[in-house]
Amino acid sequence: MEDTVPSTTTRRPTRSVVALRESARLFDSTGVLGTTRLAARAASAGHPGLVLCETTLDRGGPTLLDVPGLTGRAQVFLDGQPVGTLDGVGTVLSFTVHTGSVLALLAEGGLTGRVLLDGVEADDWTVHTLPLGALPDLPFTRTGAPGVGPTFHRGRAHLPDPVDLHLALADWTRGHVWANGAYLGSYGGGLRVLPVPARVLRAGTNEVTVLELVAARGPAVVLRR
């Protein structure tokens, strides 16, 4: 059964709320999203999508993370939990780590050069390149409200025929959107509405997938003309 809730009783609704009741964590999906390689340095240069760089720490205690080569934006995680965000203006972050913890940087844009922990370069990285093209099959499960952290959310909408629409994401923070597996674009900042061209839609059931990188207030989006 589709997760679309029409907001009007007219024959052809002009606005429908689409509940995204299935989710798949990005960290659990790297094996099917792109390619994985081992590298001495964390790097994303030349890759147009997202890059997730992970390393296991051999030390513990309060730590100063410095990524001087960052020219885009990177979210920082420790054992899968967010600890902060870096961008081209602020590239330093402090937090406490534990021996054996996994440090991860999810980069959008340029991540080049060294990643320093208390002035010492971190090495032995696992680098996952995550293209923003057509989506493969992801390990979705039925969930409730969206949690915190990078997660794919999926729902279904029933359309009588494919027409040009718009997707509104008022309750979402920052991320990327697909319709029937076709990439539509990114949202965030002042951009919360994306066009959905008729060519990626079909009469009947349509899948809407949102990769929310930060957090969402509610598990729904709105399709409208």
Side-chain angles (χ1 to χ4, degrees):
M1 182 175 66
E2 287 81 20
D3 295 329
T4 307
V5 181
S7 61
T8 176
T9 57
T10 59
R11 183 178 300 175
R12 288 175 180 265
T14 58
R15 181 179 183 276
S16 294
V17 178
V18 183
L20 307 184
R21 298 194 177 108
E22 298 174 310
S23 67
R25 293 180 71 249
L26 176 68
F27 289 112
D28 298 331
S29 307
T30 56
V32 296
L33 279 174
T35 61
T36 298
R37 62 183 175 87
L38 301 179
R41 286 185 172 180
S44 66
H47 181 69
L50 302 173
V51 174
L52 177 65
C53 303
E54 299 176 302
T55 188
T56 301
L57 303 178
D58 59 2
R59 50 165 296 170
T63 298
L64 184 69
L65 171 69
D66 185 10
V67 190
L70 180 66
T71 59
R73 182 178 186 272
Q75 294 171 255
V76 183
F77 302 86
L78 194 64
D79 293 328
Q81 299 302 310
V83 295
T85 301
L86 305 173
D87 57 31
V89 177
T91 62
V92 178
L93 189 67
S94 61
F95 48 90
T96 299
V97 304
H98 302 282
T99 302
S101 291
V102 176
L103 174 68
L105 279 70
L106 179 62
E108 307 168 68
L111 175 61
T112 61
R114 300 177 297 165
V115 174
L116 304 177
L117 296 173
D118 290 333
V120 179
E121 183 174 3
D123 54 13
D124 293 332
W125 293 88
T126 301
V127 178
H128 310 278
T129 57
L130 312 174
L132 296 175
L135 279 182
D137 290 333
L138 298 175
F140 283 103
T141 58
R142 196 79 168 178
T143 59
V148 176
T151 303
F152 291 92
H153 303 274
R154 184 175 68 181
R156 294 172 179 83
H158 182 83
L159 300 175
D161 47 41
V163 296
D164 291 336
L165 296 172
H166 290 82
L167 187 72
L169 301 110
D171 291 335
W172 303 74
T173 304
R174 181 185 180 92
H176 303 269
V177 182
W178 292 258
N180 293 325
Y183 182 63
L184 299 181
S186 62
Y187 64 91
L191 179 62
R192 289 292 192 281
V193 178
L194 293 176
V196 186
R199 59 180 172 79
V200 304
L201 300 173
R202 51 180 174 253
T205 301
N206 293 263
E207 286 188 354
V208 176
T209 304
V210 175
L211 170 57
E212 171 58 49
L213 297 175
V214 184
R217 292 191 297 271
V221 296
V222 174
L223 271 176
R224 58 177 174 79
R225 290 185 184 271

